[in-house]
Amino acid sequence: MAYTFNPHYFDQRDSYLDAIYAVLERGMAAKEVVCSITTGFRSIPSLRTKPGLNPYHASVADIGYGFDSVQGTIDRIRMGESFPLIYEMLVFELDTLRISEKQLSPNFELAVKEAGPEVYYLVEYSRILNKQIGEMIKEAIRLSQELLGNQWYEIHARIENIQAIPRL
């Protein structure tokens, strides 16, 4: 679908894309630390067999793939690549990140259930980082909403049905 943007959009587009990219970079840094901690949880006998550990690790990985995907789309837009659904891709990828972030908390709580005092600091640090990841995703979505204006909501309404299809 073709979109019409007011002339100042093109003047500010790159600034918004740069800001979204930078926010995702900060989120990616937090994700990298969380991923390392999560991997470390596997070496702790009391956590190794917790039912939420694998889904939590998978949720963290989903977020990493999501960050990469959004940044790839931003790179394509910056290089001037244009195809009919470029903005649908951006909205879809950012909203999928939002969904993946929502999976972190319940999976995390299952993974650290009955954690011993020797790992409380890792558990607390992970909670803080999970929150930071969520804040970065929300900020990236806010910036993309500013970038696209009301068209963000129109696009989102169309892609919601696609997101309902389970991923394998």
Side-chain angles (χ1 to χ4, degrees), residues 38 41-42 44-56 104-120 122-124 126-127 130:
T38 302
F41 283 167
R42 295 181 192 286
I44 301 165
S46 63
L47 298 181
R48 184 177 312 132
T49 59
K50 292 299 169 203
L53 186 56
N54 288 336
Y56 175 61
L104 278 180
S105 184
N107 290 330
F108 176 76
E109 294 307 322
L110 281 173
V112 299
K113 192 174 183 175
E114 301 170 22
E118 72 280 5
V119 295
Y120 284 164
L122 289 174
V123 169
E124 187 54 32
S126 294
R127 278 194 179 97
N130 287 342

